[in-house]
Amino acid sequence: MNAVDIINKTKKNISLTEEEIKYLVNGYVSGEIPDYQMSAWLMAVCLNGLTDEETVSLTLAMRDSGDILDLSCIKKTTVDKHSTGGVGDKTSLIIGPAAAACGIAVPKMSGRGLGHTGGTIDKLESIEGFRVELPFSEFTDIVNKTGFSIISQSGKLCPADKKIYSLRNSTGTVDSIPLICASIMSKKLALNADCLLLDVKCGSGAFMKTPGDAEKLGRLMEKVGRSAGKKVRAVVTDMNTPLGCCIGNSLEIREAVELLRGNIKGRLYQVCVTLTANMLELAGKGSLSECRAMAEEAIASGRALTVLKETIKLQGGDDSIFNDEKFFRAAKYSHVIYAPRDVEVISVNAEELGMASLILGAGRINKDDEIDYSAGIVLEFEPGDKISMDAPLMTLYSDCVSDFSEAALRAYNALQFKTLTGMALT
Ligand code: URA
């Protein structure tokens, strides 16, 4: 077996055997196969795709490149949830606690922001003292105590994905459905929860831009997960518009807390209830409608908020965020964008707002950039709202950028308006 033959087979659309895929992955992780050969194979996959069987073999070879966790010390059914990434997506901070409050265990490993999309670990690091790295026994102890813990991806899990992902990032080979599937599912199968809910984001702010591609990725991930013996379900949710009103790390923690306090309804709330209900149903807690009612009650009663508060405290985070509004200090600089005339906001381009937020310092433009946790954008409307001239549309925040011209232009251009005539001003 050799790498050139394997590259040529994929180039000519000839299926690889399980052994050939294992040889490629193991050889790349050990350093015997160099970056240039792996890059050539990845590009062949981008152009020609892989069969479902090849994708299963690739996922399992990547999973087996590192540790596979043994979660048997967790007493309850374990359910993991994965979102394929978006703008303003703080759902993990809401549905993990809500599902745990309904009697299942949610041991979760999350990632950092990627491009214009935010990452849950960056959001949590905006809380003073919060530890995103825990020894495995402390992680599972917290899950046994509160039902929920969230940490960053351990370096010992899926080293193959780590190496292949950074190569994909620099060789234009990220946007391939089988490669995205193998990357996500290898990490999820290494975490090894009993059940897995996949939230496939679809739209301008997501990796999958069309419903067809989102559907295809969801079905493929379900197939791969089931072939590894897991209960898996994929749901497709909209990411044309940012989720909720806040984009940016500290701002999103605040919005998640407000939702768990019962103060926010709307689309973010509905998406969170739907995802929590699906996790509960997968774990055998009842029918989908019963599970919806359980999820709503867990939020309305404040039990989900208690889970989040206890988890943050056990992970070393400053839990005064739950008592003291002043904890969320405003950023050093802010800039309000006003409606230029009486308008109805027809649409909001999530990717463009994600980019504006990145310019303000909320994410990393280069790999090693430091994040400004206070940076971000707060929208003052929901799509469809009518806004009168000179009323605020959104506020931009930053500690590190005082000249808002670039970010403000980008954020403003993300909105599509309909001009209103004869609007009754209130
Ligand atoms: N998230 C991942 O973990 N991998 C991908 O390839 C894309 C999104």
Side-chain angles (χ1 to χ4, degrees):
M1 226 177 276
N2 70 71
V4 177
D5 287 347
I6 292 176
I7 296 164
N8 275 321
K9 278 180 88 172
T10 302
K11 189 176 77 182
K12 292 178 192 157
N13 265 319
I14 302 167
S15 293
L16 300 176
T17 64
E18 192 183 330
E19 284 64 40
E20 284 168 324
I21 289 178
K22 272 189 196 160
Y23 170 84
L24 190 70
V25 170
N26 294 339
Y28 184 56
V29 172
S30 71
E32 278 155 50
I33 293 179
D35 281 353
Y36 58 82
Q37 286 185 320
M38 193 56 162
S39 305
W41 184 73
L42 291 169
M43 187 55 82
V45 173
C46 275
L47 298 175
N48 287 342
L50 291 177
T51 65
D52 290 359
E53 290 65 34
E54 286 176 298
T55 309
V56 170
S57 299
L58 177 64
T59 308
L60 298 185
M62 287 167 66
R63 176 198 66 181
D64 295 341
S65 67
D67 291 353
I68 298 177
L69 299 187
D70 176 3
L71 298 177
S72 58
C73 59
I74 297 177
K75 312 282 180 296
K76 295 174 179 162
T77 305
T78 50
V79 185
D80 191 6
K81 167 258 170 194
H82 182 83
S83 154
T84 56
V87 178
D89 182 1
K90 66 282 293 172
T91 54
S92 291
L93 303 165
I94 298 162
I95 68 181
C102 297
I104 61 174
V106 186
K108 187 140 178 44
M109 283 189 185
S110 290
R112 296 185 184 280
L114 202 61
H116 67 279
T117 66
T120 306
I121 289 301
D122 293 332
K123 300 180 214 279
L124 284 164
E125 280 188 337
S126 72
I127 302 171
E128 191 75 36
F130 189 90
R131 290 176 297 140
V132 299
E133 282 174 23
L134 299 177
F136 179 66
S137 60
E138 193 178 351
F139 173 55
T140 51
D141 279 354
I142 295 175
V143 176
N144 275 327
K145 276 186 196 133
T146 70
F148 172 61
S149 177
I150 189 159
I151 56 174
S152 61
Q153 185 79 34
S154 149
K156 293 184 184 151
L157 254 58
C158 288
D161 179 61
K162 209 165 179 214
K163 215 171 159 191
I164 294 172
Y165 195 88
S166 69
L167 191 63
R168 285 168 61 208
N169 231 351
S170 52
T171 54
T173 52
V174 170
D175 60 344
S176 146
I177 288 178
L179 295 180
I180 292 175
C181 170
S183 167
I184 292 173
M185 290 305 289
S186 58
K187 289 176 285 209
K188 295 288 121 186
L189 295 178
L191 178 84
N192 207 11
D194 302 316
C195 315
L196 173 60
L197 179 70
L198 298 156
D199 175 13
V200 184
K201 297 286 183 206
C202 173
S204 73
F207 286 110
M208 295 297 111
K209 305 289 184 204
T210 64
D213 278 352
E215 222 20 66
K216 218 189 265 177
L217 177 63
R219 296 289 83 86
L220 188 59
M221 291 197 291
E222 284 182 341
K223 189 166 183 181
V224 168
R226 286 175 193 150
S227 76
K230 300 293 179 192
K231 278 178 94 171
V232 189
R233 179 178 302 159
V235 293
V236 176
T237 63
D238 178 76
M239 189 38 80
N240 282 302
T241 312
L243 207 41
C245 290
C246 297
I247 302 162
N249 299 291
S250 174
L251 293 167
E252 291 190 43
I253 295 278
R254 180 183 196 156
E255 190 174 26
V257 170
E258 279 307 303
L259 189 145
L260 291 175
R261 279 187 177 139
N263 295 335
I264 294 178
K265 298 291 175 204
R267 193 166 78 90
L268 174 63
Y269 175 84
Q270 289 305 333
V271 169
C272 288
V273 168
T274 298
L275 294 176
T276 309
N278 274 282
M279 289 171 80
L280 296 172
E281 199 208 11
L282 267 180
K285 287 282 176 187
S287 67
L288 199 56
S289 63
E290 288 163 343
C291 291
R292 277 192 82 83
M294 286 165 70
E296 297 204 85
E297 194 279 332
I299 296 173
S301 64
R303 289 185 303 110
L305 182 69
T306 304
V307 171
L308 182 64
K309 187 172 176 174
E310 284 174 0
T311 299
I312 286 181
K313 199 167 170 189
L314 286 168
Q315 293 194 219
D318 178 355
D319 65 347
S320 68
I321 60 168
F322 294 93
N323 317 318
D324 183 2
E325 274 301 301
K326 288 189 215 70
F327 171 84
F328 294 104
R329 74 173 176 83
K332 219 177 337 182
Y333 308 107
S334 63
H335 175 85
V336 182
I337 299 178
Y338 297 94
R341 50 192 180 275
D342 297 343
V343 292
E344 179 182 331
V345 181
I346 299 170
S347 71
V348 185
N349 183 307
E351 182 168 13
E352 284 302 298
L353 275 192
M355 289 308 298
S357 176
L358 206 63
I359 294 166
L360 293 169
R364 297 177 192 83
I365 292 174
N366 297 308
K367 194 162 82 32
D368 298 323
D369 285 351
E370 286 219 356
I371 286 203
D372 172 358
Y373 292 114
S374 67
I377 299 172
V378 176
L379 303 174
E380 310 288 351
F381 61 87
E382 292 236 12
D385 282 358
K386 294 181 172 55
I387 301 158
S388 39
M389 189 166 91
D390 291 338
L393 282 171
M394 55 183 142
T395 308
L396 278 48
Y397 293 98
S398 183
D399 263 359
C400 61
V401 176
S402 56
D403 175 358
F404 283 89
S405 42
E406 189 188 353
L409 183 67
R410 197 123 193 190
Y412 182 76
N413 285 339
L415 309 184
Q416 223 193 335
F417 302 118
K418 187 163 86 187
T419 299
L420 298 172
T421 46
M423 186 174 97
L425 301 181
T426 50

